[in-house]
Amino acid sequence: LIFLFFFESANSNQELFQKQPKIFSNNDNYISEIGIDKYENFIWQNIFFDKSFEDIKSFVSNLPTKSSNAVVQDLVFSFLTSKKTLSKNLISKEQDDEIFQTLVDQLFKTGRLNEIELFYSESVSLSDNDFILKKMIEGNLLRNRHSEACKILENKVRDKPVFFGKIMIICDILNAKYEEAKLGLSLLKEQNNPGDIFFIDLAYSLMSEKNISESDHLKKNLDEIKELNPIIMASLQFADISPNFEQIANLSTSGLLFILSNPSVDTDLKIYCSEILAKQSRVSIEMLSEAYQ
């Protein structure tokens, strides 16, 4: 039902079904207007026209990204990757940036990581956008492309420790730069943010020679974490530690896809993920059958 909210305005744009697919990257446009220009996406062209920031932000934030219905998943994907027009007299540049971040975050949750990279590669205006860079780094970590993730970090954002702190620490550990990693962990500990204690303990354990997958201390602390982010999930894989069922149940599609390729995750959890992804048509029935076997 959420897609009926703005359907009337979107439906008025069907006469535009004549262009060939390409990416829009007009620097004069707001960054949240970027999208893939193709036949099936034109119904969304004017969905945000004459709409306020509050309405747009609420609509995008409440998209049914976890729906088990494959048709809904296709609609969400079409919407998130479409080019949309904003009313410049209603939306400020700061609000445009917030809308863009929400769109990219929802696209990330659906596991559409290639499209995020496509947006970035086709738009000069995004070359220094920290948010999309972070999502690209996290996406590479979830696809076990660790060197690519750290290369983005090294080339673009090493001078921004607050925003990219945990990613910098993980990349330093992967590259055996333990002194740099320990310095980053010390700074992170000083910030005293809730939920960072487990990451700090896990990071220090990764730099030790102990078999941390058998650490009762880490497993006990892990059980207290209700939601996993990409950095924690990648770190758990490095430590050969499996998350629990409750944490898996809260994952977005991108997280579920990562679980299937993670050798440290328990088999029953992989079957659970495969069942959800098969319903969403994100994995084949054959893959689900392999998971059962």
Side-chain angles (χ1 to χ4, degrees), residues 24-31 33 83 88 93 96 125:
F24 278 84
S25 57
N26 187 345
N27 290 333
D28 294 328
N29 291 341
Y30 281 14
I31 58 172
E33 292 182 324
K83 174 178 168 58
K88 305 300 191 298
K93 279 292 187 180
D96 167 54
S125 63

Side-chain angles (χ1 to χ4, degrees), residues 67 113 136 168 190 198 233 252 271:
S67 173
L113 308 178
M136 288 169 59
M168 293 169 65
E190 289 179 5
F198 174 76
M233 286 192 287
S252 62
I271 292 175

Side-chain angles (χ1 to χ4, degrees), residues 14-46:
Q14 291 183 354
E15 69 273 8
L16 297 174
F17 287 174
Q18 71 261 11
K19 298 184 179 180
Q20 296 298 316
K22 67 176 182 177
I23 296 290
F24 278 84
S25 57
N26 187 345
N27 290 333
D28 294 328
N29 291 341
Y30 281 14
I31 58 172
S32 57
E33 292 182 324
I34 191 171
I36 300 175
D37 178 12
K38 59 182 181 180
Y39 180 86
E40 60 267 31
N41 280 359
F42 275 109
I43 60 171
W44 311 113
Q45 177 85 27
N46 291 326

Side-chain angles (χ1 to χ4, degrees), residues 73-88:
Q73 286 290 326
D74 287 341
L75 282 171
V76 170
F77 174 64
S78 172
F79 168 78
L80 289 173
T81 56
S82 68
K83 174 178 168 58
K84 293 166 281 287
T85 303
L86 274 65
S87 297
K88 305 300 191 298

Side-chain angles (χ1 to χ4, degrees), residues 62-67 73 76 80 106 109-110 252-253 280:
N62 289 286
L63 289 172
T65 56
K66 289 187 177 182
S67 173
Q73 286 290 326
V76 170
L80 289 173
Q106 294 288 60
K109 289 178 181 178
T110 63
S252 62
T253 300
Q280 295 179 347

Side-chain angles (χ1 to χ4, degrees), residues 3 68 82 92 101 167 212 221 256 261 275 279 285-286:
F3 283 96
S68 59
S82 68
S92 68
Q101 291 185 17
I167 297 174
I212 59 178
N221 289 341
L256 297 176
S261 64
E275 290 173 343
K279 291 177 181 178
I285 298 299
E286 289 75 16

